[in-house]
Amino acid sequence: MDGERRVGVAVDFSSCSRKALKWAIDNIIRKGDFLVLITVRPDGDYEDGEMQLWRTTGSPLIPMVEFADPHTLKKYGIKPDAETIDIVTTAAAQKEITVLLKIYWGDAREKICEAIDHIPISCLVIGNRGLGKIKRAILGSVSNYVVNNGACPVTVVKKIDNEN
């Protein structure tokens, strides 16, 4: 991946992350880029499977052909939705890009910032769930943390209140 742009998109397979993914594909991605989907699973007590091997460093970069296969991702405890798979499959064909997935386990805020440095990525796009002030103060905002602590340009794609 030397010399090529690596555009990261934080995904949790929600409508907010799909919106961020679509925005990145429409506005940032260009021919020859690497699109790296970064997903973070909750830290848990995983006794078997691939999660045990990659708990500290995250999974290896998984090519799209593998993560489009539900059996491959089951090893990692991931259940992607068909719409997200369709979005990246279409983008890969139309824009001639390479799509990869990187899975981390732990705190999403910290692991996304870690991914920026370790992959490394050129820029990051992340969705925003639109938490109110009280929830944001109690739960903390992943996007706000990444904007303030990430070591690359970060674009936040906001959820509009009248969207599902």
Side-chain angles (χ1 to χ4, degrees):
M1 291 196 313
D2 292 338
E4 300 290 337
R5 282 189 339 152
R6 293 169 302 278
V7 177
V9 178
V11 295
D12 62 2
F13 307 105
S14 68
S15 61
C16 295
S17 72
R18 277 192 302 278
K19 183 176 178 184
L21 177 60
K22 288 175 188 175
W23 189 92
I25 290 167
D26 292 342
N27 295 287
I28 297 176
I29 295 292
R30 60 183 183 225
K31 183 178 177 178
D33 283 348
F34 286 86
L35 173 60
V36 183
L37 306 181
I38 302 164
T39 191
V40 182
R41 303 291 301 142
D43 202 7
D45 199 18
Y46 301 109
E47 294 180 12
D48 60 307
E50 304 296 325
M51 297 155 300
Q52 188 69 17
L53 293 171
W54 306 110
R55 188 179 203 160
T56 305
T57 60
S59 71
L61 289 168
I62 304 167
M64 183 180 65
V65 69
E66 289 183 31
F67 75 75
D69 175 16
H71 299 294
T72 300
L73 288 187
K74 187 176 181 183
K75 295 188 301 187
Y76 294 100
I78 301 289
K79 295 176 187 172
D81 64 300
E83 188 178 350
T84 300
I85 298 297
D86 184 52
I87 291 167
V88 295
T89 303
T90 303
Q94 290 178 349
K95 297 219 174 192
E96 298 177 34
I97 60 172
T98 302
V99 182
L100 303 163
L101 175 68
K102 178 81 171 175
I103 305 165
Y104 287 93
W105 290 268
D107 181 82
R109 296 172 294 190
E110 293 172 6
K111 293 299 182 176
I112 292 170
C113 288
E114 189 178 302
I116 291 169
D117 295 330
H118 290 113
I119 292 174
I121 59 175
S122 308
C123 63
L124 178 77
V125 178
I126 187 169
N128 179 313
R129 292 182 293 166
L131 296 177
K133 290 180 183 180
I134 295 173
K135 284 186 180 178
R136 189 171 48 245
I138 295 169
L139 299 174
S141 166
V142 173
S143 57
N144 188 52
Y145 182 90
V146 174
V147 164
N148 289 306
N149 296 287
C152 74
V154 178
T155 300
V156 178
V157 178
K158 292 181 124 188
K159 178 182 177 188
I160 298 172
D161 289 339
N162 61 359
E163 292 180 352
N164 292 336

